[in-house]
Amino acid sequence: AINIDRVIKMLLIHDLGEIDAGDKIVYESETAEQKNKEWKGVKRVLDILPNQQGEEYLALWEEFELGESADAKYAKAIDRIPPLLHNVNDDGYGWKKHNIPKEKVLNFNQQRISAGGEKIWEGVEAKLQQAISDGILT
């Protein structure tokens, strides 16, 4: 079963590393170098916290990044939805700006979102297929 409290914590802390490492589009950010920069940034920020809270949150960040637990898979699925909906509702602005083809959008997101829940993917895929039909995602 999914522990929604843990999922929410993961979602709240997972972007902290981008404070130092910079925020990159997901299709370009999955490199070892970027992840190392993000880890260092998260560690720096979380080291400020008292009473081992930082260690707890760093462990949650690492769990999210590994994406192997049920909670992390669900969190990663949920994390992907807002950027997709932004593009769907903004005429594909980010996709067009970065020349992201529909195959990359579909393959990357299908893998990540369906791992968190097949029903979640079915709903998102319907939106993406409509974006393709509407010429928003090419």
Side-chain angles (χ1 to χ4, degrees), residues 13 16 41-49 53-54 57-58:
I13 64 174
L16 287 176
V42 169
K43 179 98 171 90
R44 181 190 66 76
V45 170
L46 295 179
D47 277 349
I48 297 167
L49 296 175
Q53 279 182 317
Y57 294 154
L58 183 61

Side-chain angles (χ1 to χ4, degrees), residues 17 21 29 31-42 61:
S29 69
T31 67
E33 179 183 359
Q34 181 68 16
K35 292 303 175 187
N36 186 46
K37 286 179 185 176
E38 289 179 12
W39 182 87
K40 287 178 181 177
V42 169
W61 182 86

Side-chain angles (χ1 to χ4, degrees), residues 120-136:
I120 300 169
W121 171 244
E122 289 173 13
V124 171
E125 183 183 28
K127 295 277 188 191
L128 294 175
Q129 291 299 335
Q130 185 62 51
I132 291 168
S133 294
D134 293 345
I136 294 170

Side-chain angles (χ1 to χ4, degrees), residues 6-128:
R6 294 182 82 248
V7 168
I8 291 169
K9 286 179 184 178
M10 285 180 193
L11 289 169
L12 290 172
I13 64 174
H14 84 276
D15 284 333
L16 287 176
E18 294 174 359
I19 293 170
D20 291 354
D23 187 11
K24 296 189 182 262
I25 189 167
V26 72
Y27 307 104
E28 298 170 0
S29 69
E30 299 291 309
T31 67
E33 179 183 359
Q34 181 68 16
K35 292 303 175 187
N36 186 46
K37 286 179 185 176
E38 289 179 12
W39 182 87
K40 287 178 181 177
V42 169
K43 179 98 171 90
R44 181 190 66 76
V45 170
L46 295 179
D47 277 349
I48 297 167
L49 296 175
N51 303 324
Q52 286 121 12
Q53 279 182 317
E55 291 175 20
E56 172 194 349
Y57 294 154
L58 183 61
L60 283 170
W61 182 86
E62 290 171 339
E63 181 179 342
F64 177 88
E65 288 300 315
L66 284 173
E68 294 174 355
S69 71
D71 290 347
K73 288 176 183 177
Y74 188 76
K76 282 182 164 287
I78 297 304
D79 181 56
R80 289 303 312 134
I81 296 171
L84 295 172
L85 293 179
H86 285 285
N87 273 289
V88 166
N89 292 298
D90 193 19
D91 196 35
Y93 176 79
W95 295 326
K96 292 173 183 175
K97 178 181 176 185
H98 298 282
N99 295 315
I100 308 297
K102 67 182 176 187
E103 295 79 16
K104 192 170 206 173
V105 172
L106 289 170
N107 292 335
F108 180 88
N109 289 290
Q110 187 274 332
Q111 181 181 24
R112 184 160 295 181
I113 294 172
S114 67
E118 197 59 46
K119 291 284 186 192
I120 300 169
W121 171 244
E122 289 173 13
V124 171
E125 183 183 28
K127 295 277 188 191
L128 294 175

